[in-house]
Amino acid sequence: MSILKRLHLITTSQETTFDEKVTALLSLGLDVFQLDIAIVSEINANIYTVKHVITPDNSLSVGTTFDFSDTYCWHTFKADSALAFSHAGNSQIATHPCYIHFGLESYIGAPIIVDGNRYGTVNFSSPDAKPDSFTQEHLDYVSLLGQWIGVEISRQKTLRQLQHRSEALAAMSRLADIGSWEVDFKKNKVYWSQQTRAIHGVSEEFVPTLDNAIAFYKPGSHQNDIKQAINDAISSRTKWDIESIIIDAHGNEKWVALMGRGNMKMVNALEFLVQFKTLMSKLNYV
């Protein structure tokens, strides 16, 4: 199997985590370069921190730090591109602290760029000199690894931020008694937030539909008003603002203020206010 095929299989796997993918990529790099040590580093304020690592004897652990200027990656950052040497002792960096302290003869590495800023490096090394020089193909490959890792780190960072915002919004919703629900007419499904379920007094197993959602409104004028309001929002995108009563699953009556509006993009159609607190609902028109 070709290197690019193996790379594709690793990076597109849906069953593995980011950390597992990085480990697999480092293992693949060790095979490609025929070296012993693989590291993904983060560099901040002249501190080089090991974020992912593979060594023959597990002598280097995640979280280990070094002075950045004492690592070969300092030269990679200085070059601002992939860099390699196959026999450090016979090169201009034979006096470099990394060679003096660790005796690493061969090295290849590339910068990792995250959101336009230099994050660290992906690098491979060995205490043994490499019999053959690194090729341009090797440099291109390690650059490709650095690019993928940088993009994925950025994506993971975004996902964490979104999760944090989602958790913060959920906490605010619980405190303010705010719920949300969404109707997907294409799939004919209704989605309720956890707080919406709490407001209606139903469990996680309850499957909401548009009909049984409307059924929570007190029979008579209250149900008629909400039906008419929803129909108006769907057909003419008109705004509406009414007050009504819902009867939760335990038989408790709750006054609600309901506001809705149509949307030219056929989304975000309804907003609900519950017990003087905001209960937002969004309809996805398809």
Side-chain angles (χ1 to χ4, degrees):
M1 185 183 297
S2 69
I3 294 173
L4 289 179
K5 179 65 174 179
R6 292 170 66 186
L7 178 66
H8 176 74
L9 290 176
I10 292 170
T11 57
T12 59
S13 172
Q14 300 297 314
E15 288 76 36
T16 53
T17 66
F18 169 65
D19 288 344
E20 291 169 338
K21 288 179 181 179
V22 172
T23 298
L25 289 174
L26 293 181
S27 296
L28 178 58
L30 290 175
D31 290 342
V32 171
F33 303 128
Q34 292 296 294
L35 298 175
D36 303 310
I37 303 167
I39 298 173
V40 170
S41 71
E42 180 180 12
I43 298 165
N44 187 19
N46 203 43
I47 300 298
Y48 175 107
T49 303
V50 176
K51 304 297 289 186
H52 303 268
V53 61
I54 299 176
T55 61
D57 54 1
N58 296 318
S59 58
L60 190 59
S61 59
V62 171
T64 301
T65 60
F66 302 94
D67 287 339
F68 176 43
S69 57
D70 290 346
T71 68
Y72 289 150
C73 292
W74 183 87
H75 294 279
T76 301
F77 262 31
K78 185 177 181 181
D80 200 27
S81 64
L83 183 70
F85 44 85
S86 56
H87 194 171
N90 290 341
S91 72
Q92 70 275 15
I93 63 170
T95 57
H96 191 273
C98 190
Y99 183 71
I100 294 173
H101 298 317
F102 304 108
L104 295 176
E105 289 286 2
S106 50
Y107 165 94
I108 183 169
I112 295 173
I113 307 299
V114 176
D115 298 330
N117 299 310
R118 291 195 293 190
Y119 169 89
T121 63
V122 54
N123 62 88
F124 303 83
S125 58
S126 174
D128 299 321
K130 190 172 174 60
D132 302 317
S133 297
F134 289 102
T135 66
Q136 184 59 49
E137 184 178 1
H138 288 146
L139 292 171
D140 292 341
Y141 179 70
V142 77
S143 295
L144 184 60
L145 289 184
Q147 291 169 15
W148 183 88
I149 292 172
V151 169
E152 192 63 15
I153 289 174
S154 178
R155 192 176 76 87
Q156 295 293 321
K157 179 181 176 182
T158 299
L159 288 175
R160 286 193 298 270
Q161 290 173 340
L162 290 174
Q163 182 179 7
H164 177 73
R165 291 175 185 172
S166 178
E167 290 172 351
L169 180 59
M172 290 174 63
S173 296
R174 290 191 296 270
L175 289 172
D177 203 18
I178 301 172
S180 63
W181 63 280
E182 177 181 345
V183 180
D184 187 330
F185 284 108
K186 185 175 182 179
K187 296 181 180 179
N188 195 28
K189 289 186 176 181
V190 176
Y191 304 94
W192 276 9
S193 71
Q194 195 170 26
Q195 192 62 18
T196 300
R197 293 177 179 277
I199 290 169
H200 287 77
V202 298
S203 67
E204 292 290 335
E205 287 71 34
F206 179 79
V207 180
T209 66
L210 191 55
D211 288 339
N212 65 26
I214 292 174
F216 278 98
Y217 291 84
K218 191 172 183 177
S221 61
H222 297 284
Q223 280 194 17
N224 293 334
D225 287 346
I226 184 62
K227 288 178 182 178
Q228 186 63 51
I230 291 175
N231 288 334
D232 289 344
I234 293 172
S235 62
S236 60
R237 313 291 190 263
T238 56
K239 296 181 179 180
W240 46 273
D241 187 345
I242 62 176
E243 291 184 354
S244 188
I245 295 175
I246 66 169
I247 303 175
D248 71 15
H250 305 292
N252 302 311
E253 291 191 357
K254 297 179 180 179
W255 272 97
V256 295
L258 302 103
M259 297 188 303
R261 64 182 178 85
N263 189 291
M264 294 305 294
K265 295 182 179 179
M266 304 178 78
V267 295
N268 301 340
L270 301 180
E271 293 183 345
F272 280 53
L273 302 179
V274 174
Q275 293 183 327
F276 306 106
K277 310 293 184 180
T278 304
L279 171 59
M280 294 179 294
S281 172
K282 299 179 180 179
L283 290 181
N284 283 342
Y285 294 92
V286 181

